[in-house]
């Protein structure tokens, strides 16, 4: 079991605050630092305002040295696939090959309206996601000296030189969600990892089974696909510390215990074990209070050593 740190900077964070979390996570031995890709805060003022995901990751590529970096997830509505492929490849080169690329269809209509981004129908968003997956991976995988062309539903590429290339031979692609048909099919075709965000053990098991079947339908070994979950974290040494951390993020302790990873380190380890039992190999710990670096220290000291062998 690998534990990764997952942040939501649209809720209010500067680059320096994100850097402090990323460098702390790196020092403590977490597997990766991921961030959301959103432009509008949810139920918060979001001051001082949003930061761009890939500009942030470019900075972190130079300001960290070993931790892996990625998005959970970039929306296919935000950027044209060709320029997005260039940005991700460049950040991968800047980090010496530490980038992972999460991509989704997009869902938050209000942020599109707030920043003038078109928000088409669900079907079109998934069509655009499929185009974006084909184009980004196609551009990266085209051998140097050859051209890449693609005639998609909404995007056409003609004789692209398919440059620049990423540092890694193959950038890991993360696809997730609860879609019944297109999501697992796209994951089976393009993904290195399938992620279930903020869902129960029972629901996650159903979604994992669905994507495993999609792999078999695509004649792919399901074991090739890493399975992961994202869950909010609220860990404390005692009930008072747990309650304090819950209050800081505006949540109730009982609700967090039911729907997230909340409680003492021992409780958190046992909850992680239930996910490991259904095949989860990686958990993204959603950290909502970015100033509370002691939270990361506690989990690194008392949870991480206990779950590495799961």
């Amino acid at each position: 079991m690998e534990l990764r740190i997952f942040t939501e900077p649209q809720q209010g964070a500067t680059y320096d605050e994100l850097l402090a979390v990323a460098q702390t996570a790196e020092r403590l031995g977490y597997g990766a630092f991921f961030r959301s890709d959103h432009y509008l805060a949810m139920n918060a003022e979001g001051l001082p305002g949003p930061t761009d995901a890939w500009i942030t990751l470019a900075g972190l590529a130079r300001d960290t040295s070993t931790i892996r970096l990625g998005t959970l997830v970039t929306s296919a509505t935000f950027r044209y696939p060709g320029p997005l492929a260039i940005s991700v490849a460049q950040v991968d080169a800047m980090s010496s090959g530490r980038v992972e690329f999460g991509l989704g269809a997009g869902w938050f209509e209000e942020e599109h309206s707030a920043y003038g981004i078109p928000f088409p129908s669900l079907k079109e968003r998934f069509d655009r996601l499929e185009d974006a997956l084909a184009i980004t991976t196609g551009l990266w995988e085209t051998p140097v000296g050859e051209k890449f062309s693609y005639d998609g539903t909404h995007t056409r590429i003609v004789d692209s030189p398919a440059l620049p290339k990423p540092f890694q031979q193959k950038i890991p692609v993360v696809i997730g969600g609860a879609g019944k048909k297109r999501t697992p099919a796209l994951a089976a075709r393009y993904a290195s990892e399938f992620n279930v965000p903020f869902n129960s053990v029972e629901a996650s098991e159903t979604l994992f089974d669905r994507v495993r079947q999609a792999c078999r339908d695509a004649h792919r070994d399901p074991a090739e696909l890493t399975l992961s979950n994202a869950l909010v974290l609220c860990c404390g040494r005692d009930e008072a510390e747990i309650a304090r951390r819950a209050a800081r993020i505006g949540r109730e302790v009982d609700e967090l215990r039911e729907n997230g990873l909340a409680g003492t380190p021992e409780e958190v380890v046992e909850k992680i074990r239930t996910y490991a039992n259904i095949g989860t190999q990686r958990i993204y710990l959603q950290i909502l209070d970015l100033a509370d670096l002691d939270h990361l220290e506690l989990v690194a000291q008392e949870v991480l050593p206990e779950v590495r062998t799961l």
Side-chain angles (χ1 to χ4, degrees), residues 108-167:
F108 191 16
E109 184 172 6
E110 288 85 351
E111 74 183 336
H112 290 73
S113 299
Y115 287 95
I117 304 167
F119 187 75
S121 67
L122 180 62
K123 180 183 184 304
E124 182 175 334
R125 296 201 308 277
F126 267 90
D127 289 342
R128 289 186 178 276
L129 171 61
E130 187 164 2
D131 281 354
L133 287 164
I135 290 166
T136 52
T137 58
L139 289 169
W140 295 332
E141 294 169 4
T142 298
V144 174
E146 297 185 14
K147 300 291 182 69
F148 174 76
S149 296
Y150 175 82
D151 192 6
T153 305
H154 294 281
T155 308
R156 186 168 181 249
I157 302 289
V158 180
D159 292 336
S160 172
L163 297 172
K165 298 302 181 196
F167 185 93

Side-chain angles (χ1 to χ4, degrees), residues 41-281:
M42 304 166 197
N43 303 312
E45 290 184 332
L47 296 174
T51 49
D52 182 85
W54 288 101
I55 291 176
T56 296
L57 294 177
L60 294 177
R62 308 305 289 178
D63 286 342
T64 61
S65 58
T66 59
I67 197 164
R68 296 191 69 79
L69 304 166
T71 53
L72 202 65
V73 292
T74 287
S75 172
T77 59
F78 287 174
R79 304 166 183 86
Y80 290 119
L84 177 59
I86 292 171
S87 296
V88 176
Q90 182 179 6
V91 177
D92 191 55
M94 292 168 70
S95 69
S96 299
R98 292 185 282 127
V99 159
E100 303 193 10
F101 179 51
L103 190 65
W107 62 270
F108 191 16
E109 184 172 6
E110 288 85 351
E111 74 183 336
H112 290 73
S113 299
Y115 287 95
I117 304 167
F119 187 75
S121 67
L122 180 62
K123 180 183 184 304
E124 182 175 334
R125 296 201 308 277
F126 267 90
D127 289 342
R128 289 186 178 276
L129 171 61
E130 187 164 2
D131 281 354
L133 287 164
I135 290 166
T136 52
T137 58
L139 289 169
W140 295 332
E141 294 169 4
T142 298
V144 174
E146 297 185 14
K147 300 291 182 69
F148 174 76
S149 296
Y150 175 82
D151 192 6
T153 305
H154 294 281
T155 308
R156 186 168 181 249
I157 302 289
V158 180
D159 292 336
S160 172
L163 297 172
K165 298 302 181 196
F167 185 93
Q168 297 175 89
Q169 185 175 4
K170 184 178 177 63
I171 291 179
V173 173
V174 184
I175 296 174
K180 292 184 178 180
K181 293 183 179 179
R182 295 191 73 176
T183 298
L186 290 172
R189 183 173 180 184
Y190 292 105
S192 305
E193 176 181 338
F194 178 72
N195 177 264
V196 175
F198 312 113
N199 224 323
S200 67
V201 171
E202 295 76 18
S204 297
E205 186 170 28
T206 297
L207 293 168
F208 288 163
D209 287 343
R210 191 174 290 155
V211 78
R212 289 185 185 108
Q213 185 58 52
C215 285
R216 288 188 285 269
D217 292 343
H219 306 291
R220 179 183 180 185
D221 183 357
E224 295 175 1
L225 196 64
T226 297
L227 301 175
S228 67
N229 287 87
L231 294 162
V232 64
L233 179 70
C234 184
C235 184
R237 297 170 181 86
D238 53 36
E239 290 301 321
E241 190 169 67
I242 297 164
R244 176 177 60 80
R245 288 200 161 110
R248 287 273 297 175
I249 61 174
R251 303 279 286 270
E252 297 292 331
V253 172
D254 289 345
E255 178 268 324
L256 286 169
R257 275 193 161 105
E258 181 177 355
N259 297 316
L261 293 176
T264 63
E266 293 77 15
E267 286 180 279
V268 170
V269 169
E270 286 308 306
K271 186 72 172 284
I272 290 173
R273 191 184 307 277
T274 65
Y275 281 91
N277 289 341
I278 64 163
T280 301
Q281 299 156 282

